[in-house]
Amino acid sequence: MSPATLHRPPRHPHAWAWVFIASQLGVAALWWQMGWRIGLPALVATHLVVIWATLRPQSRLLSPVLSRLPTRERVVWLTIDDGPSDDTLPMLDLLDKHDARATFFLVGERARSRPEAVREIVRRGHGIGQHSHTHPQAWFWALPPRAMRAQIDEAQATLAALTGMRPRWFRAVVGMANPFVAASLKRHDLARVAWSARGFDAVMSDPQRNLARIERGLAPGAIVLLHEGAAHGRSVETLAGVLARMDAMEYRSVLPEALDTATAPVPASQPL
């Protein structure tokens, strides 16, 4: 697996703006030459493309995104969002029991309030990714440039200070990354991660139904999306079911850092 395949921060984070400006000039020309009956649908279509690219977690239109690992082996990448929480230590114990590894995508302000849990994740050999600073679930997709930069900058600084390592992976809140995400990802050498298997366990309380949905997405190289600290209180049960099912299907978990040393975290004191 090549470094370019696994860890791909945006190289041209403002390219979308030039493409969009060009598209609007084209729309203006259409409107001028052919009238509003053609120009208006063209205007709507160009805006809908940007909205679609923002709301679809796997879209690569605005920035690169990793949705699965390029492998034929029976391995998956377990990713756990929204922590740390009261569930963190029980989940770590479950992962230890199944000799499994996961990447925890942590929220900056939650990590700041539970530094021991963050350090325990690292001590037990798991990965750390970042998942914004305050987790503005309803509005992350619509944040303007300054607010978006603050969310990513503050989370990165917090997690680097707590762990001594700079996270290399980023997951947008609810997976939705608007055009202003890419610049901050490039600045911090962060690569965006989506998923290929999910159970909606952040909101759905039935672990068995969550497991059934995740199982439909299990395949070599799947990236599995899980959550901790859900309001329904059954996140640990869902993880237990996933790990047991993986064992039964002879899948093992793997971190991207184990597949390619180029994805390993960078010490916080070392310049990128």
Side-chain angles (χ1 to χ4, degrees), residues 34-62:
M34 307 185 72
W36 71 270
R37 294 182 186 276
I38 299 296
L40 181 58
L43 179 68
V44 172
T46 56
H47 284 73
L48 286 177
V49 168
V50 176
I51 293 171
W52 173 85
T54 294
L55 301 183
R56 179 169 171 76
Q58 291 79 16
S59 171
R60 300 179 182 180
L61 190 62
L62 300 175

mmCIF file of all heavy atoms in Angstrom, residues 34-62:
data_model
loop_
_atom_site.group_PDB
_atom_site.id
_atom_site.type_symbol
_atom_site.label_atom_id
_atom_site.label_comp_id
_atom_site.label_asym_id
_atom_site.label_seq_id
_atom_site.Cartn_x
_atom_site.Cartn_y
_atom_site.Cartn_z
ATOM 1 N N MET A 34 -28.836 32.834 -23.555
ATOM 2 C CA MET A 34 -30.008 31.981 -23.749
ATOM 3 C C MET A 34 -31.163 32.299 -22.807
ATOM 4 O O MET A 34 -32.220 31.661 -22.876
ATOM 5 C CB MET A 34 -29.605 30.508 -23.605
ATOM 6 C CG MET A 34 -28.432 30.126 -24.507
ATOM 7 S SD MET A 34 -28.009 28.383 -24.470
ATOM 8 C CE MET A 34 -29.404 27.696 -25.368
ATOM 9 N N GLY A 35 -30.967 33.256 -21.896
ATOM 10 C CA GLY A 35 -32.052 33.673 -21.034
ATOM 11 C C GLY A 35 -32.156 32.852 -19.758
ATOM 12 O O GLY A 35 -31.445 31.864 -19.548
ATOM 13 N N TRP A 36 -33.086 33.279 -18.922
ATOM 14 C CA TRP A 36 -33.202 32.671 -17.596
ATOM 15 C C TRP A 36 -33.698 31.233 -17.629
ATOM 16 O O TRP A 36 -33.423 30.457 -16.713
ATOM 17 C CB TRP A 36 -34.119 33.519 -16.719
ATOM 18 C CG TRP A 36 -35.576 33.471 -17.111
ATOM 19 C CD1 TRP A 36 -36.210 34.295 -17.981
ATOM 20 C CD2 TRP A 36 -36.556 32.543 -16.640
ATOM 21 N NE1 TRP A 36 -37.528 33.964 -18.110
ATOM 22 C CE2 TRP A 36 -37.767 32.876 -17.277
ATOM 23 C CE3 TRP A 36 -36.541 31.472 -15.752
ATOM 24 C CZ2 TRP A 36 -38.950 32.177 -17.061
ATOM 25 C CZ3 TRP A 36 -37.719 30.766 -15.528
ATOM 26 C CH2 TRP A 36 -38.897 31.126 -16.182
ATOM 27 N N ARG A 37 -34.421 30.848 -18.671
ATOM 28 C CA ARG A 37 -34.940 29.470 -18.714
ATOM 29 C C ARG A 37 -33.823 28.435 -18.780
ATOM 30 O O ARG A 37 -33.993 27.296 -18.363
ATOM 31 C CB ARG A 37 -35.880 29.303 -19.912
ATOM 32 C CG ARG A 37 -37.160 30.122 -19.811
ATOM 33 C CD ARG A 37 -38.072 29.886 -21.007
ATOM 34 N NE ARG A 37 -39.217 30.778 -20.972
ATOM 35 C CZ ARG A 37 -40.325 30.541 -20.273
ATOM 36 N NH1 ARG A 37 -40.430 29.426 -19.566
ATOM 37 N NH2 ARG A 37 -41.328 31.404 -20.298
ATOM 38 N N ILE A 38 -32.690 28.819 -19.314
ATOM 39 C CA ILE A 38 -31.508 27.954 -19.321
ATOM 40 C C ILE A 38 -30.555 28.349 -18.201
ATOM 41 O O ILE A 38 -29.990 27.494 -17.503
ATOM 42 C CB ILE A 38 -30.785 28.042 -20.678
ATOM 43 C CG1 ILE A 38 -31.717 27.581 -21.803
ATOM 44 C CG2 ILE A 38 -29.511 27.210 -20.654
ATOM 45 C CD1 ILE A 38 -32.132 26.127 -21.702
ATOM 46 N N GLY A 39 -30.390 29.651 -17.996
ATOM 47 C CA GLY A 39 -29.429 30.112 -17.003
ATOM 48 C C GLY A 39 -29.797 29.748 -15.584
ATOM 49 O O GLY A 39 -28.924 29.361 -14.783
ATOM 50 N N LEU A 40 -31.077 29.844 -15.235
ATOM 51 C CA LEU A 40 -31.478 29.535 -13.865
ATOM 52 C C LEU A 40 -31.260 28.067 -13.506
ATOM 53 O O LEU A 40 -30.674 27.769 -12.455
ATOM 54 C CB LEU A 40 -32.932 29.939 -13.646
ATOM 55 C CG LEU A 40 -33.488 29.690 -12.238
ATOM 56 C CD1 LEU A 40 -32.660 30.440 -11.200
ATOM 57 C CD2 LEU A 40 -34.956 30.106 -12.150
ATOM 58 N N PRO A 41 -31.701 27.103 -14.352
ATOM 59 C CA PRO A 41 -31.389 25.704 -14.022
ATOM 60 C C PRO A 41 -29.890 25.424 -13.919
ATOM 61 O O PRO A 41 -29.462 24.639 -13.073
ATOM 62 C CB PRO A 41 -32.014 24.924 -15.191
ATOM 63 C CG PRO A 41 -33.107 25.811 -15.691
ATOM 64 C CD PRO A 41 -32.576 27.212 -15.526
ATOM 65 N N ALA A 42 -29.101 26.090 -14.776
ATOM 66 C CA ALA A 42 -27.654 25.895 -14.697
ATOM 67 C C ALA A 42 -27.108 26.427 -13.385
ATOM 68 O O ALA A 42 -26.227 25.807 -12.754
ATOM 69 C CB ALA A 42 -26.974 26.585 -15.879
ATOM 70 N N LEU A 43 -27.617 27.580 -12.942
ATOM 71 C CA LEU A 43 -27.190 28.154 -11.663
ATOM 72 C C LEU A 43 -27.527 27.218 -10.507
ATOM 73 O O LEU A 43 -26.687 26.948 -9.637
ATOM 74 C CB LEU A 43 -27.861 29.508 -11.463
ATOM 75 C CG LEU A 43 -27.542 30.234 -10.150
ATOM 76 C CD1 LEU A 43 -26.089 30.677 -10.129
ATOM 77 C CD2 LEU A 43 -28.474 31.440 -9.965
ATOM 78 N N VAL A 44 -28.747 26.706 -10.497
ATOM 79 C CA VAL A 44 -29.164 25.794 -9.434
ATOM 80 C C VAL A 44 -28.315 24.527 -9.444
ATOM 81 O O VAL A 44 -27.876 24.034 -8.395
ATOM 82 C CB VAL A 44 -30.659 25.453 -9.582
ATOM 83 C CG1 VAL A 44 -31.062 24.345 -8.609
ATOM 84 C CG2 VAL A 44 -31.516 26.697 -9.368
ATOM 85 N N ALA A 45 -28.053 24.001 -10.636
ATOM 86 C CA ALA A 45 -27.293 22.752 -10.743
ATOM 87 C C ALA A 45 -25.885 22.902 -10.182
ATOM 88 O O ALA A 45 -25.387 22.025 -9.457
ATOM 89 C CB ALA A 45 -27.232 22.302 -12.201
ATOM 90 N N THR A 46 -25.217 24.020 -10.495
ATOM 91 C CA THR A 46 -23.848 24.197 -9.997
ATOM 92 C C THR A 46 -23.812 24.316 -8.476
ATOM 93 O O THR A 46 -22.873 23.827 -7.831
ATOM 94 C CB THR A 46 -23.199 25.446 -10.627
ATOM 95 O OG1 THR A 46 -24.020 26.600 -10.373
ATOM 96 C CG2 THR A 46 -23.023 25.275 -12.124
ATOM 97 N N HIS A 47 -24.825 24.946 -7.886
ATOM 98 C CA HIS A 47 -24.877 25.050 -6.430
ATOM 99 C C HIS A 47 -25.221 23.699 -5.792
ATOM 100 O O HIS A 47 -24.694 23.358 -4.722
ATOM 101 C CB HIS A 47 -25.877 26.124 -6.009
ATOM 102 C CG HIS A 47 -25.360 27.517 -6.191
ATOM 103 N ND1 HIS A 47 -25.229 28.108 -7.423
ATOM 104 C CD2 HIS A 47 -24.894 28.434 -5.290
ATOM 105 C CE1 HIS A 47 -24.731 29.333 -7.275
ATOM 106 N NE2 HIS A 47 -24.523 29.552 -6.003
ATOM 107 N N LEU A 48 -26.085 22.935 -6.446
ATOM 108 C CA LEU A 48 -26.446 21.632 -5.905
ATOM 109 C C LEU A 48 -25.256 20.678 -5.889
ATOM 110 O O LEU A 48 -25.133 19.840 -4.995
ATOM 111 C CB LEU A 48 -27.591 21.011 -6.714
ATOM 112 C CG LEU A 48 -28.975 21.626 -6.492
ATOM 113 C CD1 LEU A 48 -29.997 20.961 -7.417
ATOM 114 C CD2 LEU A 48 -29.413 21.479 -5.031
ATOM 115 N N VAL A 49 -24.360 20.816 -6.846
ATOM 116 C CA VAL A 49 -23.163 19.968 -6.865
ATOM 117 C C VAL A 49 -22.318 20.221 -5.620
ATOM 118 O O VAL A 49 -21.824 19.277 -4.976
ATOM 119 C CB VAL A 49 -22.334 20.221 -8.142
ATOM 120 C CG1 VAL A 49 -20.954 19.584 -8.031
ATOM 121 C CG2 VAL A 49 -23.064 19.654 -9.361
ATOM 122 N N VAL A 50 -22.140 21.491 -5.247
ATOM 123 C CA VAL A 50 -21.355 21.821 -4.059
ATOM 124 C C VAL A 50 -22.050 21.302 -2.797
ATOM 125 O O VAL A 50 -21.398 20.761 -1.890
ATOM 126 C CB VAL A 50 -21.124 23.337 -3.967
ATOM 127 C CG1 VAL A 50 -20.398 23.694 -2.671
ATOM 128 C CG2 VAL A 50 -20.329 23.832 -5.173
ATOM 129 N N ILE A 51 -23.367 21.452 -2.737
ATOM 130 C CA ILE A 51 -24.114 20.955 -1.580
ATOM 131 C C ILE A 51 -23.986 19.445 -1.476
ATOM 132 O O ILE A 51 -23.740 18.897 -0.392
ATOM 133 C CB ILE A 51 -25.588 21.387 -1.675
ATOM 134 C CG1 ILE A 51 -25.696 22.905 -1.541
ATOM 135 C CG2 ILE A 51 -26.422 20.698 -0.596
ATOM 136 C CD1 ILE A 51 -27.075 23.450 -1.826
ATOM 137 N N TRP A 52 -24.125 18.754 -2.603
ATOM 138 C CA TRP A 52 -23.995 17.287 -2.607
ATOM 139 C C TRP A 52 -22.604 16.876 -2.127
ATOM 140 O O TRP A 52 -22.462 15.964 -1.305
ATOM 141 C CB TRP A 52 -24.237 16.752 -4.012
ATOM 142 C CG TRP A 52 -23.974 15.280 -4.150
ATOM 143 C CD1 TRP A 52 -24.843 14.256 -3.884
ATOM 144 C CD2 TRP A 52 -22.741 14.660 -4.563
ATOM 145 N NE1 TRP A 52 -24.224 13.030 -4.114
ATOM 146 C CE2 TRP A 52 -22.936 13.256 -4.528
ATOM 147 C CE3 TRP A 52 -21.509 15.157 -4.962
ATOM 148 C CZ2 TRP A 52 -21.950 12.360 -4.884
ATOM 149 C CZ3 TRP A 52 -20.505 14.256 -5.310
ATOM 150 C CH2 TRP A 52 -20.729 12.880 -5.271
ATOM 151 N N ALA A 53 -21.567 17.554 -2.623
ATOM 152 C CA ALA A 53 -20.199 17.205 -2.233
ATOM 153 C C ALA A 53 -19.959 17.448 -0.747
ATOM 154 O O ALA A 53 -19.165 16.746 -0.114
ATOM 155 C CB ALA A 53 -19.205 18.011 -3.063
ATOM 156 N N THR A 54 -20.652 18.433 -0.169
ATOM 157 C CA THR A 54 -20.520 18.721 1.259
ATOM 158 C C THR A 54 -21.229 17.674 2.101
ATOM 159 O O THR A 54 -20.695 17.205 3.115
ATOM 160 C CB THR A 54 -21.101 20.112 1.569
ATOM 161 O OG1 THR A 54 -20.293 21.103 0.930
ATOM 162 C CG2 THR A 54 -21.131 20.386 3.068
ATOM 163 N N LEU A 55 -22.420 17.283 1.687
ATOM 164 C CA LEU A 55 -23.257 16.410 2.514
ATOM 165 C C LEU A 55 -22.940 14.928 2.356
ATOM 166 O O LEU A 55 -23.330 14.138 3.213
ATOM 167 C CB LEU A 55 -24.736 16.656 2.190
ATOM 168 C CG LEU A 55 -25.249 18.082 2.415
ATOM 169 C CD1 LEU A 55 -26.739 18.156 2.119
ATOM 170 C CD2 LEU A 55 -24.955 18.558 3.833
ATOM 171 N N ARG A 56 -22.241 14.539 1.312
ATOM 172 C CA ARG A 56 -21.902 13.135 1.115
ATOM 173 C C ARG A 56 -20.511 12.856 1.690
ATOM 174 O O ARG A 56 -19.495 13.332 1.160
ATOM 175 C CB ARG A 56 -21.948 12.756 -0.357
ATOM 176 C CG ARG A 56 -21.563 11.301 -0.607
ATOM 177 C CD ARG A 56 -21.849 10.853 -2.018
ATOM 178 N NE ARG A 56 -21.288 9.542 -2.282
ATOM 179 C CZ ARG A 56 -21.787 8.389 -1.849
ATOM 180 N NH1 ARG A 56 -22.896 8.410 -1.117
ATOM 181 N NH2 ARG A 56 -21.214 7.235 -2.134
ATOM 182 N N PRO A 57 -20.413 12.073 2.768
ATOM 183 C CA PRO A 57 -19.108 11.864 3.420
ATOM 184 C C PRO A 57 -18.041 11.271 2.512
ATOM 185 O O PRO A 57 -16.854 11.551 2.692
ATOM 186 C CB PRO A 57 -19.452 10.908 4.576
ATOM 187 C CG PRO A 57 -20.890 11.195 4.870
ATOM 188 C CD PRO A 57 -21.525 11.477 3.539
ATOM 189 N N GLN A 58 -18.435 10.453 1.544
ATOM 190 C CA GLN A 58 -17.452 9.798 0.679
ATOM 191 C C GLN A 58 -17.075 10.622 -0.548
ATOM 192 O O GLN A 58 -16.256 10.186 -1.353
ATOM 193 C CB GLN A 58 -17.979 8.423 0.226
ATOM 194 C CG GLN A 58 -18.071 7.387 1.343
ATOM 195 C CD GLN A 58 -19.300 7.557 2.219
ATOM 196 O OE1 GLN A 58 -20.255 8.245 1.844
ATOM 197 N NE2 GLN A 58 -19.308 6.917 3.380
ATOM 198 N N SER A 59 -17.642 11.804 -0.703
ATOM 199 C CA SER A 59 -17.346 12.612 -1.881
ATOM 200 C C SER A 59 -15.907 13.130 -1.841
ATOM 201 O O SER A 59 -15.447 13.647 -0.823
ATOM 202 C CB SER A 59 -18.305 13.801 -1.969
ATOM 203 O OG SER A 59 -17.886 14.689 -2.994
ATOM 204 N N ARG A 60 -15.218 13.022 -2.965
ATOM 205 C CA ARG A 60 -13.845 13.517 -3.098
ATOM 206 C C ARG A 60 -13.780 14.821 -3.875
ATOM 207 O O ARG A 60 -12.686 15.262 -4.245
ATOM 208 C CB ARG A 60 -12.991 12.462 -3.802
ATOM 209 C CG ARG A 60 -12.930 11.138 -3.051
ATOM 210 C CD ARG A 60 -12.093 10.124 -3.802
ATOM 211 N NE ARG A 60 -12.059 8.844 -3.113
ATOM 212 C CZ ARG A 60 -11.405 7.763 -3.548
ATOM 213 N NH1 ARG A 60 -10.731 7.842 -4.689
ATOM 214 N NH2 ARG A 60 -11.426 6.639 -2.862
ATOM 215 N N LEU A 61 -14.911 15.425 -4.131
ATOM 216 C CA LEU A 61 -14.925 16.615 -4.979
ATOM 217 C C LEU A 61 -14.224 17.791 -4.327
ATOM 218 O O LEU A 61 -13.554 18.577 -4.998
ATOM 219 C CB LEU A 61 -16.373 16.982 -5.327
ATOM 220 C CG LEU A 61 -16.564 18.053 -6.399
ATOM 221 C CD1 LEU A 61 -15.978 17.581 -7.730
ATOM 222 C CD2 LEU A 61 -18.042 18.387 -6.568
ATOM 223 N N LEU A 62 -14.362 17.952 -3.016
ATOM 224 C CA LEU A 62 -13.807 19.114 -2.322
ATOM 225 C C LEU A 62 -12.472 18.831 -1.648
ATOM 226 O O LEU A 62 -11.702 19.748 -1.386
ATOM 227 C CB LEU A 62 -14.817 19.623 -1.288
ATOM 228 C CG LEU A 62 -16.172 20.061 -1.863
ATOM 229 C CD1 LEU A 62 -17.129 20.437 -0.745
ATOM 230 C CD2 LEU A 62 -16.003 21.213 -2.838
#
